Amino acid sequence: MAVQSAHHVAPNLFVTASNGVKYAYRRFGKTGGTPLLFLQHFRGGLDNWDPLLTDTISAEREVILFDNTGVGLSEGTVPTTVLEMAHDAIAFLDSLKLEQVDVLGFSLGGFVAQELALLRPLQVRKLILAGTGPQGGPSMHGWQKEIADAVRKPDIGGEELLFAFFAHTPTSQAKGMEFLGRFMARTEDRGPMCTIEAFSRQYDAVVEWGISDHAKLARLESIAQPTLVANGESDLMIPAKLTHLMGGLIPNAKVAIYPDAAHGFLFQYSVEFGAEVLKFLAS
């Protein structure tokens, strides 16, 4: 008999933080260690994570997924800056009385994760930055037109996700199709799609974060946490060269680049990346 996915059955939980926002979250996996907080990508919510990735990690770690302010099942209005999003994530963590967490931030979530690590250096134990880039870095001011057009469609679907998240090769696209089947497998208590107003405000934050400012790159030198920086070699949203740049500027960083993969490498290599995350967190 197959084991039921923890991701598929984890209940939607709610907590009201000191900022007055009622946050939706799911918490599951092996308890007893430092929980791993997941911070989601542009337009993403609780159900945009790959269950194969979260279940691989939750077999050995406690996982916390949540919708930040104004996203999915959470209340409030989406902020238009990454800094505000980080303060909201802090309010959520404090509402759960979590003194220390590990953090995995993907794409926009990786921007927030960087701010979180800088604002709360004692609260964040280890940091995982996936498919993300540094504030003010080169090639960070918005996305190329084809990608922006795809991911900002009001009625975004599988075709757009395959284009933006997976390499344009038969093997990567096939893995993308497998991912689409997995992330739609949860049928009960799914979170709603991100509204147009919400992702428009998110995009304002993305663009502001990427305004070229080489002085801001120096902030990475203050990230003291052990950090895993990972990406797909063919990422069209945030090029892998920025992964290497971050790995060189963060003092205690390890870089991992996945072949024949793009922005959604962590969904293409779900088991492999999950294993790498577990090894990194245990080291």
Side-chain angles (χ1 to χ4, degrees):
M1 183 176 179
V3 176
Q4 180 89 50
S5 165
H7 181 110
H8 291 340
V9 299
N12 294 327
L13 305 173
F14 297 91
V15 65
T16 300
S18 59
N19 59 3
V21 174
K22 184 178 180 180
Y23 290 103
Y25 68 103
R26 295 178 189 151
R27 189 170 181 174
F28 56 95
K30 185 178 180 180
T31 59
T34 305
L36 177 61
L37 176 71
F38 282 62
L39 299 175
Q40 187 58 290
H41 63 77
F42 175 75
R43 294 187 70 160
L46 293 170
D47 290 303
N48 290 95
W49 293 108
D50 187 343
L52 187 55
L53 173 65
T54 57
D55 285 341
T56 296
I57 294 173
S58 68
E60 297 184 27
R61 309 285 301 198
E62 185 177 19
V63 162
I64 301 175
L65 316 179
F66 95 114
D67 286 338
N68 209 341
T69 303
V71 174
L73 293 168
S74 290
E75 297 178 349
T77 301
V78 172
T80 55
T81 70
V82 172
L83 181 59
E84 291 175 280
M85 293 176 183
H87 279 294
D88 286 346
I90 288 170
F92 168 73
L93 288 175
D94 289 349
S95 73
L96 295 184
K97 297 180 171 55
L98 291 170
E99 295 184 1
Q100 192 170 63
V101 293
D102 297 321
V103 177
L104 187 159
F106 173 34
S107 195
L108 171 59
F111 303 169
V112 178
Q114 292 170 59
E115 290 289 357
L116 188 56
L118 289 167
L119 291 168
R120 289 290 182 93
L122 298 180
Q123 194 170 19
V124 177
R125 187 184 74 104
K126 289 191 175 185
L127 186 63
I128 301 150
L129 301 175
T132 195
Q135 184 177 19
S139 306
M140 282 290 296
H141 193 208
W143 300 312
Q144 58 177 277
K145 186 177 186 305
E146 294 82 359
I147 292 292
D149 288 347
V151 301
R152 296 171 68 198
K153 281 187 176 181
D155 55 347
I156 191 170
E159 182 179 350
E160 290 77 26
L161 289 174
L162 289 173
F163 179 77
F165 276 37
F166 294 86
H168 301 165
T169 64
T171 48
S172 184
Q173 290 290 300
K175 291 293 186 181
M177 290 297 295
E178 293 176 11
F179 160 69
L180 292 179
R182 289 195 300 269
F183 101 93
M184 289 301 296
R186 181 175 172 126
T187 57
E188 296 183 8
D189 297 323
R190 289 182 66 88
M193 297 282 287
C194 193
T195 66
I196 294 175
E197 179 187 5
F199 73 71
S200 295
R201 294 177 68 86
Q202 284 185 333
Y203 190 65
D204 287 344
V206 168
V207 173
E208 190 273 342
W209 177 266
I211 295 171
S212 183
D213 186 345
H214 287 207
K216 285 187 167 60
L217 292 174
R219 301 170 75 241
L220 294 175
E221 298 173 1
S222 294
I223 295 179
Q225 296 89 344
T227 303
L228 172 63
V229 191
N231 205 352
E233 66 178 3
S234 301
D235 190 345
L236 295 177
M237 294 187 76
I238 303 179
K241 66 182 182 181
L242 293 172
T243 309
H244 290 288
L245 176 62
M246 296 179 74
L249 292 173
I250 297 172
N252 191 9
K254 172 188 175 184
V255 173
I257 303 295
Y258 286 77
D260 187 31
H263 196 62
F265 76 94
L266 66 172
F267 303 152
Q268 178 171 334
Y269 289 93
S270 308
V271 173
E272 296 87 345
F273 183 63
E276 182 153 21
V277 166
L278 289 171
K279 181 180 179 182
F280 169 72
L281 294 178
S283 63

